[in-house]
Amino acid sequence: MNMSQYRFSSRFHLLASVFVTIFTVCICSVANAANPLASWNEGPARKAIVEFVAAVTDQNSKDYVAPAERIAVFDNDGTLWVEYPMYTQFLFAFDRVKKLAPQHPEWKTKQPFKAVLEGDMKTVGASGMKGLMEIMMATHSGMTAAEFEQDASNWLAMTKQSRFKRQYTELVYQPQLELLAYLRANGFKTYIVSGGGIQFMRPMSEETYGIPRDQVVGSSVVSEFQVKDGKPALVRMPKIDFVNDKAGKPVGIYEHIGRRPILAFGNSDSDMQMIEYTMAGEGRRMGLFVHHTDADREYAYDRKSHVGTLDKALDQADANGWFIVDMKQDWKAVFSEK
Amino acid sequence: MNMSQYRFSSRFHLLASVFVTIFTVCICSVANAANPLASWNEGPARKAIVEFVAAVTDQNSKDYVAPAERIAVFDNDGTLWVEYPMYTQFLFAFDRVKKLAPQHPEWKTKQPFKAVLEGDMKTVGASGMKGLMEIMMATHSGMTAAEFEQDASNWLAMTKQSRFKRQYTELVYQPQLELLAYLRANGFKTYIVSGGGIQFMRPMSEETYGIPRDQVVGSSVVSEFQVKDGKPALVRMPKIDFVNDKAGKPVGIYEHIGRRPILAFGNSDSDMQMIEYTMAGEGRRMGLFVHHTDADREYAYDRKSHVGTLDKALDQADANGWFIVDMKQDWKAVFSEK
């Protein structure tokens, strides 16, 4: 092959690969456009979602909702990512107790820290909300905002979930990623409204869910603006500022979003108030719960669970027009193949 | 003129008007594109703003900032709209005291309410922050979120400013509207970060400033989720939740935005911490203060004012690299002609 032949051939290959790429991209786009909820099985939940979105986006529909009012809120733990056998942020806190232990010799004999250091989860659990709050305060305060963000990000990057041996940010539900994207493609603004720490979730929310930091609503500790060594910084204090759970969720929505959602998605009784608040507005509304029914692909738990208890909401769903999304029945895939 | 002539003529006129419209739209677009800060005089402030925006948006600049990090925060009172002779929200509160007086006969003899009812602003002022907070609590709580929003919106629609005889939403600074639009056109996300009430500002922020509700950060009262007569609602309680002023502003930014701004614009010493926090980040930053120097077109006040005191910030501006925007010198127009 002489030089000009080589050039031609090389150019041809370049062109060919460009065409193949364009063609492939088109195919994928068409496929996604044709089935944006590919990981949802045909069934009542998927059908109801598609009908709801069609109704509120059709300008000729009596249910039409202007784009600015298309607010969709999602709980995080158990709704967007795995919460079983333990809330991710608690595991982060337990690991921080171990990391910080050398600076706290008193923890060797002081509960519930002693139990965390000994891996005695039963005693940690028995310490109740008071004990857990002590652990959260000891591990989530006393540093600057930037330091905390770095710690949380490092931990998420380094830690794998016990059963699936994958990072927590990989254990997000593929059907929910598709639903978030589908809602956004239909003019919705998507928010996380979680009992989890607002600053724990923010560093991962954009990359993982496509949800920007300022669209994350969560629990918080009091922060103070301080000038340290001539450098202004925000310092996290050992004091609860706001608990964005149960009746706190509608309050968090009011403070951060300033609009009543038209769609709310949770997975436990702690999401009931958020969904009640959403459904109580005028016009068409939608409230949904993930029901963890799939021990093979994820976990099966509901009424008597130590995380994400789904009990009262199961009983009241029909009467209130809430949708129970059955993980086993309604989701074709649970996690992305990666 | 016969029918076909008429049709031709009619069509010609239609076409002509379409062309004129297109042409006019083009001219305006070109004019705006050529001078997006038309109400800013050529001078150091305008020059610095344009240079800053060029530097952080140029991918080849060492100062380049990715779009997601282009956060710009603006104080509201005295920075985006008129705050003299009294903060708008205080006037709203005083008017509400008068409106609610029939349900509170005790106010006839109880200060500072008595003074408000008698229009004795000197005594109201002398009641200090404690007195003003009492007035704010009595007028900003005890109703649902929806009722408060309706009251605030009605008041803003019905009330005219004492000197200019225009609604407060018309007394916004035209150069700042242009700056907000210019920043957004350059990929910035613009926020209000004000000592004013978050829920007082939100109903007007989108229409007035193009700033959506969830990009408004402000002071708040505690709200509670309650089910009243079977209907879930948020009820505003007579208790301060958060004061988004002075050292509170960086905290409000942390909680609501979750990112350190790269540009902050205020007008008083109460904005210093927000601007210090902004400037303390890495990379190129910009901090600005409006200096009210224009008694003819607006007001002239600074070091010894009862609203928007600009004193320490004036002294420290040069050393800190803050820009003082001189209303009289730097702004070609103050308000829109409408």
Side-chain angles (χ1 to χ4, degrees), chain A residues 45-64:
Chain A
R46 184 184 189 289
K47 186 162 172 280
I49 291 168
V50 171
E51 279 178 6
F52 174 79
V53 170
V56 299
T57 55
D58 174 3
Q59 296 211 33
N60 299 317
S61 159
K62 67 173 175 43
D63 298 322
Y64 178 73

Side-chain angles (χ1 to χ4, degrees), chain B residues 10-29:
Chain B
S10 167
R11 278 183 192 165
F12 176 78
H13 277 105
L14 180 68
L15 271 175
S17 72
V18 167
F19 278 119
V20 167
T21 305
I22 290 173
F23 189 70
T24 314
V25 168
C26 291
I27 292 279
C28 292
S29 304

Side-chain angles (χ1 to χ4, degrees), chain B residues 72-236:
Chain B
V73 292
F74 287 75
D75 169 61
N76 188 37
D77 296 302
T79 301
L80 294 179
W81 74 358
V82 167
E83 68 179 349
Y84 205 94
M86 184 45 69
Y87 300 119
T88 309
Q89 196 167 354
F90 282 167
L91 298 173
F92 165 67
F94 300 157
D95 280 356
R96 277 189 65 81
V97 168
K98 290 170 197 159
K99 194 178 158 188
L100 297 171
Q103 297 148 50
H104 294 272
E106 74 278 14
W107 286 354
K108 277 188 197 149
T109 53
K110 189 186 173 189
Q111 293 295 15
F113 300 95
K114 180 171 181 281
V116 172
L117 293 174
E118 290 166 354
D120 173 8
M121 284 302 113
K122 207 174 156 186
T123 302
V124 175
S127 75
M129 191 48 74
K130 188 172 167 288
L132 284 169
M133 279 302 121
E134 268 186 78
I135 293 168
M136 296 304 273
M137 288 305 100
T139 54
H140 282 59
S141 66
M143 72 289 280
T144 67
E147 287 162 358
F148 179 74
E149 171 160 343
Q150 197 57 61
D151 281 344
S153 297
N154 288 349
W155 186 87
L156 278 174
M158 299 291 290
T159 312
K160 296 198 168 171
Q161 201 260 7
S162 55
R163 173 174 164 194
F164 296 103
K165 314 294 181 207
R166 295 174 73 177
Q167 290 176 22
Y168 288 94
T169 50
E170 294 174 329
L171 295 176
V172 298
Y173 305 129
Q174 179 63 21
Q176 300 291 60
L177 294 182
E178 292 168 10
L179 177 57
L180 288 169
Y182 175 66
L183 290 170
R184 290 193 290 260
N186 282 283
F188 280 76
K189 210 161 170 177
T190 54
Y191 294 81
I192 292 173
V193 177
S194 167
I198 189 167
Q199 308 296 357
F200 180 76
M201 295 180 284
R202 278 174 165 169
M204 54 73 79
S205 67
E206 192 141 16
E207 200 183 332
T208 308
Y209 302 126
I211 295 179
R213 286 168 178 241
D214 60 351
Q215 287 166 225
V216 176
V217 183
S219 300
S220 53
V221 297
V222 169
S223 298
E224 271 185 23
F225 178 73
Q226 297 180 358
V227 182
K228 284 184 138 180
D229 310 325
K231 214 170 158 56
L234 287 159
V235 179
R236 297 171 57 91

